[in-house]
Amino acid sequence: VELPAEYRVAASGVVTREEEAGGRRRVDFAAGCMRDFALLASNKFTSADKLVGDVKVRSFFRTSDRKAGEHVLDVAAWALKDFEKRFGPYPYKQLAIVEEALVGGAGGVEFAGLATVASMFYKPSGSATGGSPLEMLLGTLMGSGATDGPMKQSAAEFTTAHEVGHMWWHGVVGSDSRKHPWQDEALAQFSAILYAEDRYGAARAKKDADMNARMGYEMMRLMGQPDGPVDVPAARQSQMAYGGIVYGKGPYYLLALRKKLGDAAFFSALQAYVKDYYLGFATPSALEDAMKHAAGAKA
């Protein structure tokens, strides 16, 4: 990659060479066994690093957003360590989490070895006074001025853990994210709930799940959208139904399955699923097949 010297680059893979000359910067990246290659550059980027085993976790953020960027780094590093124990080894030498000005309500986007988190989680948002009652409510929840509200704090951490979960459910284990979006998105939501449970306990995990998963489903139903199966192609769902059912309802299938089978059988099956399709491509029934084989009499 060649660009003006004042720009910093966040990309999949690792840097193998970097040099400056004549006001230009050249950066060489090497990456292997990756499904995609992502690259973001900004003349406002800075970064912070943390080592998890032999994996370097790097948080890229605007220089004005350091406090949030360092918090994202802490969450990502903790989640990576937790998910390696829960799911299996992370295959790369680096994980980059990058602030990005996403639009359309997206909280983050996953790529192999790199994920982005929306700028809205890095900056103060909303106003607790003025405007319509709904705007005032959102301002109180999301935060105003230099103070973040409870919804924003929870959503920022949940989204970061969700995106780290995608390193397994998209990166390590591939699936058809258009025809069977639940297979990676519901698992990433489940992973974020699991992160909260492992780090803070069951009560916090339930609270975060209610706010960041169940609420989407409840809002969808409140708006008159019908219930439906989780395993439906993205093209056959409205945006509201996609968010409510795949993201809001999907993880609760996995939570119920875990409760039904017990932790030993459930996580044994999940690890077998990862091992069987490690850097491969899982069929739509592969996860359920793994659960059936691990569950014994409860299959």
Side-chain angles (χ1 to χ4, degrees), residues 241-269:
Y242 181 78
I245 294 176
V246 173
Y247 286 75
K249 182 180 178 181
Y252 287 94
Y253 163 66
L254 296 164
L255 289 170
L257 193 61
R258 175 188 176 187
K259 184 177 181 180
K260 189 78 170 176
L261 302 181
D263 273 14
F266 178 84
F267 284 107
S268 174

Side-chain angles (χ1 to χ4, degrees), residues 175-186 227-237 241-242 245-247 249-251 253 283-288:
S175 59
D176 192 326
S177 61
R178 294 180 183 273
K179 291 183 179 178
H180 305 280
W182 83 276
Q183 205 168 349
D184 67 293
E185 293 297 352
D227 192 11
V230 169
D231 189 12
V232 174
R236 284 171 44 194
Q237 301 181 79
Y242 181 78
I245 294 176
V246 173
Y247 286 75
K249 182 180 178 181
Y253 163 66
T283 61
S285 64
L287 178 59
E288 291 178 356

Side-chain angles (χ1 to χ4, degrees), residues 17-78:
R17 174 186 175 189
E18 187 167 6
E19 60 185 29
E20 289 185 29
R24 302 283 292 175
R25 180 192 300 272
R26 171 181 168 152
V27 189
D28 291 2
F29 293 92
C33 295
M34 287 188 160
R35 299 184 190 280
D36 37 45
F37 183 87
L39 184 151
L40 299 95
S42 174
N43 61 356
K44 297 180 175 65
F45 269 164
T46 188
S47 65
D49 305 342
K50 184 174 285 190
L51 207 59
V52 177
D54 62 351
V55 178
K56 180 186 284 188
V57 182
R58 305 195 73 186
S59 174
F60 290 84
F61 45 89
R62 289 179 175 86
T63 53
S64 58
D65 298 332
R66 175 168 290 278
K67 182 179 178 181
E70 290 181 345
H71 179 59
V72 165
L73 173 63
D74 175 70
V75 174
W78 209 100

Side-chain angles (χ1 to χ4, degrees), residues 6 60 172 184 257 273 278:
E6 66 270 21
F60 290 84
V172 172
D184 67 293
L257 193 61
Y273 173 68
Y278 199 81

Side-chain angles (χ1 to χ4, degrees), residues 90-130:
Y90 176 74
Y92 310 122
K93 291 296 184 183
Q94 185 168 302
L95 170 60
I97 307 294
V98 189
E99 178 184 357
E100 183 183 13
L102 296 168
V103 297
V109 182
E110 71 278 5
F111 304 93
L114 181 149
T116 67
V117 173
S119 288
M120 64 180 174
F121 294 127
Y122 291 75
K123 302 179 183 306
S125 60
S127 173
T129 59

